[in-house]
């Protein structure tokens, strides 16, 4: 199995630009999670989906952030407009069952200048 | 109070030493528990699940105390390759929906 695949691995963008992060979960996994990691705040859950439906988006920082899962094999996290404080590593993870372990992608390192 | 709190670290111990990490969680509805390991600039990876009866995997032992809402990880005969950040993870079920909450992590460095 290829594992969770994220793209791009690195993204450098200017403040105000739109950023789209992509994720392909492990085939057959019904749960998909988006996390953000910074030195100050650690790993924060932004949003998660079950069977392509958003279940909990209480961690999404503000309206500039949006996430979609149009099908079982693809999800996007969009930031529009981006700000320097959005700079972080964004991880996507998937899980096969409720309460089970989550498998992480390699992350997208986002820098907003 | 944070949902999951860990020893702040960092821990610097000599090779061969035994080291223990602690973690507390605030939500008594927590259903499952894990320890993850994260190497520098890499993604978190599952180290081991934590079961109510306690469990061991080679040099690693995990314990859970539901009454005290406390989880621990013990590493015996530490190796240089054990140097990493260890993350305590709690899976909370709220109104039928699960939420994986990570602690801040404890950084461990094993010195030769």
């Amino acid at each position: 199995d290829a594992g969770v695949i994220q793209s791009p691995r690195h993204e450098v963008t200017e403040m105000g630009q739109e950023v789209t992060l992509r994720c392909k979960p492990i085939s057959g996994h019904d749960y998909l999670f988006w996390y953000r990691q910074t030195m100050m705040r650690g790993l924060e859950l932004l949003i998660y989906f079950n069977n392509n439906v958003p279940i909990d988006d209480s961690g999404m920082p503000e309206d500039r952030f949006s996430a979609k899962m149009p099908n079982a094999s693809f999800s996007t996290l969009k930031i529009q407009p981006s700000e320097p404080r959005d700079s972080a590593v964004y991880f996507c993870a998937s899980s096969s069952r409720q309460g089970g372990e989550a498998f992480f992608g390699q992350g997208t390192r986002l820098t907003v200048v | 109070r944070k949902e999951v709190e860990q020893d702040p670290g960092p821990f610097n111990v000599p090779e061969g030493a035994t080291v223990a990490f602690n973690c507390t969680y605030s939500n008594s509805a927590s259903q499952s528990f894990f320890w993850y390991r994260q190497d520098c600039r890499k993604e978190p990876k599952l180290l081991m699940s934590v079961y109510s009866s306690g469990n061991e995997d080679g040099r690693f032992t995990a314990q859970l105390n539901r009454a005290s809402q406390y989880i621990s990880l013990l590493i015996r005969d530490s190796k240089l390759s054990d140097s990493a950040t260890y993350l305590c993870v709690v899976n909370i079920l709220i109104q039928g929906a699960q939420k994986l909450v990570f602690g801040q992590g404890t950084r461990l460095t094993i010195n030769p």
Side-chain angles (χ1 to χ4, degrees):
Chain A
D1 197 325
V4 176
I5 300 172
Q6 291 186 246
S7 65
R9 293 288 308 279
H10 302 273
E11 177 81 31
V12 180
T13 191
E14 290 185 346
M15 184 173 63
Q17 295 298 306
E18 178 180 295
V19 175
T20 299
L21 311 181
R22 297 174 176 79
C23 175
K24 181 182 187 318
I26 293 172
S27 178
H29 282 194
D30 295 331
Y31 293 86
L32 183 140
F33 308 86
W34 282 101
Y35 285 89
R36 176 173 68 177
Q37 188 173 37
T38 60
M39 287 292 292
M40 290 297 294
R41 301 173 69 91
L43 260 171
E44 302 173 279
L45 178 64
L46 301 178
I47 185 172
Y48 81 91
F49 296 83
N50 179 212
N51 291 322
N52 313 337
V53 177
I55 302 299
D56 182 356
D57 65 354
S58 59
M60 296 286 262
E62 48 196 272
D63 292 345
R64 297 184 297 106
F65 285 69
S66 62
K68 293 182 180 179
M69 192 164 185
N71 58 62
S73 59
F74 184 66
S75 178
T76 59
L77 178 68
K78 187 175 292 187
I79 308 172
Q80 166 63 23
S82 57
E83 296 181 4
R85 61 193 168 117
D86 301 331
S87 298
V89 181
Y90 290 81
F91 287 106
C92 176
S94 70
S95 179
S96 62
R97 60 183 177 87
Q98 195 171 49
E101 69 169 293
F103 295 83
F104 282 76
Q106 292 181 299
T108 295
R109 186 171 295 274
L110 173 65
T111 304
V112 183
V113 298
Chain B
R1 183 184 173 188
K2 288 183 180 177
E3 290 177 297
V4 180
E5 293 198 72
Q6 294 186 238
D7 284 351
F11 285 65
N12 289 279
V13 301
E15 191 174 8
T18 295
V19 60
F21 304 138
N22 303 314
C23 171
T24 56
Y25 59 96
S26 60
N27 192 318
S28 59
S30 300
Q31 296 291 312
S32 50
F33 310 86
F34 309 92
W35 283 102
Y36 275 67
R37 170 193 169 129
Q38 187 173 23
D39 293 292
C40 188
R41 302 181 76 85
K42 298 285 188 180
E43 73 274 22
K45 292 183 178 178
L46 179 70
L47 177 65
M48 59 195 303
S49 301
V50 186
Y51 302 118
S52 297
S53 55
N55 49 300
E56 187 174 308
D57 183 1
R59 299 181 292 108
F60 298 83
T61 301
Q63 297 278 351
L64 168 65
N65 184 322
R66 285 188 184 271
S68 302
Q69 296 181 194
Y70 172 97
I71 307 161
S72 66
L73 176 68
L74 183 77
I75 305 174
R76 292 182 300 278
D77 187 24
S78 54
K79 312 292 184 189
L80 297 177
S81 57
D82 294 334
S83 297
T85 297
Y86 291 83
L87 300 159
C88 174
V89 186
V90 175
N91 197 323
I92 300 170
L93 268 177
I94 301 175
Q95 296 178 339
Q98 71 161 348
K99 182 177 177 180
L100 267 180
V101 180
F102 284 73
Q104 284 281 87
T106 301
R107 187 163 183 167
L108 171 67
T109 300
I110 306 298
N111 302 308

